[in-house]
């Protein structure tokens, strides 16, 4: 059974640009959550999608958005990139929103220059 | 809001010995879950062990066990017979039992295993 797949693995963008990250959950999983990991702030919850609906959102500016498709794949978009958006972005999937076990992907390393 | 604190930024242990990583949390909820995740250099977060707050018995997974003290809001991880492959960042995490998937993580403890 394939794990959680995040693409791309690495990304370099310029300030002011926008970026889209992709996450394919484990087959059959319908919940996808996103986290930002930085040395200064640690791991912070961005948002969760379940059955194409955003169920919960962390404390991030509106430049951070996401969506989920009918096949449960999720995308995260960051517009007007800032240097501080440089981070490892992790995606986690679970069977349902209430399921206690979440499986993580290997992340996308975003560098903003 | 819930918070998770790991007071040990770094720990080291000799191979085959036992090490305990500390974690405290703050919440006003009575029903929740606690987790320890391992993040090796590959960056993928791997679930090590989980504990349901309503269970008094401490969780155990092979060489990994926890000491869950609900009243003290403490959740430490004990690794027995440490192996070189245990070297990683370890994160303690909290999740409410109600509502959506949202993990609140501690700052992490970097564990080094000395051969």
């Amino acid at each position: 059974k394939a794990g959680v797949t995040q693409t791309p693995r690495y990304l370099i963008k310029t300030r002011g640009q926008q970026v889209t990250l992709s996450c394919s959950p484990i087959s059959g999983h319908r919940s996808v959550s996103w986290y930002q990991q930085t040395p200064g702030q640690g791991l912070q919850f961005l948002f969760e999608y379940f059955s194409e609906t955003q169920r919960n959102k962390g404390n991030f500016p509106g430049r951070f958005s996401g969506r989920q498709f009918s096949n449960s794949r999720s995308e995260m978009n960051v517009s007007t990139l800032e240097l501080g958006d440089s981070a490892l972005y992790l995606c986690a999937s679970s069977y349902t929103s209430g399921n206690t076990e979440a499986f993580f992907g290997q992340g996308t390393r975003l560098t903003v220059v | 809001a819930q918070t998770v604190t790991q007071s040990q930024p770094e720990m080291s242990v000799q191979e085959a010995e036992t090490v305990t990583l500390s974690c405290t949390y703050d919440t006003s909820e009575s029903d929740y879950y606690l987790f320890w995740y391992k993040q090796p250099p590959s960056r993928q977060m791997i679930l090590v062990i989980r504990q349901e707050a309503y269970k008094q018995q401490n969780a155990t997974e092979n060489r990994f066990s926890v000491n869950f003290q609900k009243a003290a809001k403490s959740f430490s991880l004990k690794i027995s017979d440490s192996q070189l492959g245990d070297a990683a960042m370890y994160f303690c995490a909290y999740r409410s039992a109600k509502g959506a998937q949202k993990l609140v993580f501690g700052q992490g403890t970097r564990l080094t295993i000395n051969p």
Side-chain angles (χ1 to χ4, degrees):
Chain A
K1 198 173 188 180
V4 179
T5 303
Q6 291 189 246
T7 56
R9 292 289 306 278
Y10 301 90
L11 207 48
I12 300 175
K13 288 287 189 179
T14 304
R15 263 185 311 175
Q17 287 186 316
Q18 75 165 19
V19 67
T20 299
L21 312 182
S22 178
C23 173
S24 293
I26 292 171
S27 178
H29 284 196
R30 293 163 62 195
S31 171
V32 174
S33 304
W34 289 88
Y35 294 84
Q36 181 195 64
Q37 185 176 19
T38 60
Q41 299 299 315
L43 280 149
Q44 294 185 287
F45 173 79
L46 280 155
F47 30 64
E48 185 213 355
Y49 285 86
F50 179 74
S51 292
E52 302 178 64
T53 301
Q54 187 180 88
R55 288 212 55 189
N56 205 349
K57 186 173 176 11
N59 189 24
F60 279 82
R63 300 185 297 105
F64 291 81
S65 63
R67 59 177 175 169
Q68 187 179 35
F69 301 95
S70 58
N71 62 357
S72 295
R73 188 177 71 86
S74 177
E75 287 183 347
M76 191 194 99
N77 185 274
V78 187
S79 62
T80 319
L81 283 165
E82 301 176 359
L83 295 179
D85 297 333
S86 295
L88 178 66
Y89 290 89
L90 291 165
C91 158
S93 82
S94 61
Y95 182 66
T96 67
S97 191
N99 193 272
T100 58
E101 189 148 3
F103 296 85
F104 283 81
Q106 289 190 283
T108 294
R109 170 76 67 188
L110 171 65
T111 302
V112 182
V113 297
Chain B
Q2 296 84 16
T3 58
V4 177
T5 302
Q6 293 177 248
S7 58
Q8 308 153 313
E10 295 184 359
M11 292 279 286
S12 64
V13 64
Q14 291 295 126
E15 192 176 2
E17 294 192 345
T18 296
V19 64
T20 299
L21 308 184
S22 301
C23 172
T24 58
Y25 59 95
D26 189 29
T27 182
S28 58
E29 298 180 325
S30 59
D31 200 11
Y32 49 86
Y33 305 99
L34 295 166
F35 306 85
W36 278 98
Y37 278 91
K38 167 185 176 181
Q39 187 178 41
S42 68
R43 308 180 321 201
Q44 186 166 16
M45 300 284 279
I46 301 165
L47 178 63
V48 174
I49 198 165
R50 68 172 175 233
Q51 173 81 41
E52 290 87 347
Y54 65 84
K55 289 186 178 178
Q56 292 188 335
Q57 187 172 7
N58 290 323
T60 299
E61 287 287 343
N62 301 313
R63 298 182 295 107
F64 299 88
S65 62
V66 298
N67 183 4
F68 173 48
Q69 302 288 328
K70 190 172 185 179
K73 295 180 181 173
S74 169
F75 182 62
S76 61
L77 173 70
K78 185 172 85 171
I79 306 174
S80 303
D81 185 26
S82 297
Q83 300 175 0
L84 294 178
D86 295 333
M89 282 291 289
Y90 285 81
F91 292 94
C92 177
Y94 169 102
R95 209 207 98 182
S96 172
K98 54 184 177 183
Q101 287 276 357
K102 176 185 174 181
L103 292 165
V104 178
F105 287 92
Q107 288 294 100
T109 297
R110 182 174 301 280
L111 178 64
T112 301
I113 312 295
N114 301 312

